[in-house]
Amino acid sequence: MNSIDQAVMYVFAGNNGSGKSTFRNLIAEKQGIPTNIDPDSLAKKYTSNKEIRAGREAIRLIEELIRDKQDFSMETTLSGRLPLKQMSSAKENGFRIVVYYLGVEKIAINLNRIRQRVEQGGHNIPEEDVRRRENRSMSNLMNVIMIADEIHLIDNTYMQATIAASILKMEYKIHLPESNLPGWIGRVLKEIDQLKEKKDSAGG
């Protein structure tokens, strides 16, 4: 539990190969997050049906942590609906939701990093999965904006994990000079402006 007695759910999101795990390890150490839910690590203890069994265990652990109101972090590509449901559940249980969304300028960068990881003995992700998750992940990010208390957009195109913009209640603050703002983050902020316009025109 944090200093103001409100449990925090930290979500590290972004497509495969965006650098979520490395960045999460840095933040977890800095913030003193006691528990990290990592399906890849959980899968190592199984000898068969690794991904399915690890996924089920991760779901169970997250449900328990939410129920017990314990600080924790999780990693997700944000390409499915489950993370949104988990965040909503945590919110309903009094959690503060903090999201770090990592992205890069071109999907070729994601694919290249995954290839490098495999060459070093890491796990592979099929290219078709990475490409399919790209649009879904960005689309679901718009839904996360409606749930999370704060969202930090991290550009990791050059492996520097730079916080380019932060979003609080659909209001954003840009931390980089406009000339240095990555194109993918500019597109996210444009979508936020469009959401705000639709909300205002609807009267609320």
Side-chain angles (χ1 to χ4, degrees):
M1 197 78 70
N2 63 18
S3 60
I4 58 173
D5 295 325
Q6 181 182 24
V8 183
M9 176 185 191
Y10 296 90
V11 180
F12 295 87
N15 201 355
N16 301 106
S18 60
K20 297 186 296 297
S21 296
T22 301
F23 186 75
R24 183 185 63 183
N25 290 338
L26 293 173
I27 295 296
E29 182 177 349
K30 182 178 179 180
Q31 298 286 2
I33 304 170
T35 305
N36 294 305
I37 305 302
D38 181 0
D40 290 334
S41 294
L42 294 172
K44 293 177 182 178
K45 66 182 181 180
Y46 297 113
T47 56
S48 62
N49 299 319
K50 293 183 177 183
E51 291 186 4
I52 294 175
R53 296 171 74 180
R56 289 174 178 170
E57 183 175 357
I59 291 172
R60 177 180 60 79
L61 291 171
I62 289 171
E63 289 176 348
E64 290 178 357
L65 289 162
I66 291 175
R67 181 194 64 208
D68 296 338
K69 293 181 169 58
Q70 297 295 313
D71 290 2
F72 73 98
S73 71
M74 61 174 281
E75 182 179 328
T76 174
T77 60
L78 208 59
S79 59
R81 302 297 297 179
L82 179 59
L84 298 175
K85 293 179 180 178
Q86 292 168 326
M87 280 184 257
S88 294
S89 176
K91 189 77 172 179
E92 291 169 1
N93 279 272
F95 276 72
R96 180 173 179 80
I97 313 297
V98 179
V99 177
Y100 295 94
Y101 190 94
L102 284 87
V104 297
E105 274 293 71
K106 298 179 180 180
I107 198 168
I109 296 173
N110 300 77
L111 296 171
N112 185 55
R113 289 179 184 170
I114 292 170
R115 282 193 292 270
Q116 292 176 346
R117 182 173 68 197
V118 172
E119 290 172 358
Q120 296 169 3
H123 63 284
N124 186 34
I125 305 293
E127 179 175 338
E128 59 268 25
D129 290 347
V130 179
R131 291 187 180 281
R132 184 182 67 250
R133 289 168 179 166
E134 181 74 5
N135 290 334
R136 292 181 181 179
S137 181
M138 293 298 290
S139 177
N140 280 331
L141 177 60
M142 293 300 107
N143 294 318
V144 170
I145 289 170
M146 303 297 189
I147 302 172
D149 293 282
E150 59 181 271
I151 300 174
H152 303 284
L153 302 180
I154 316 295
D155 181 62
N156 204 25
T157 299
Y158 301 105
M159 298 292 286
Q160 296 175 336
T162 303
I163 298 180
S166 297
I167 307 164
L168 306 175
K169 305 298 182 184
M170 289 186 69
E171 296 294 335
Y172 56 80
K173 178 180 180 181
I174 300 174
H175 303 298
L176 295 176
E178 186 173 345
S179 58
N180 294 336
L181 192 66
W184 73 268
I185 290 181
R187 290 190 292 273
V188 171
L189 301 183
K190 183 177 180 179
E191 287 195 50
I192 292 174
D193 287 336
Q194 292 173 346
L195 283 174
K196 289 164 63 176
E197 289 177 5
K198 289 180 181 179
K199 185 178 179 180
D200 292 342
S201 64

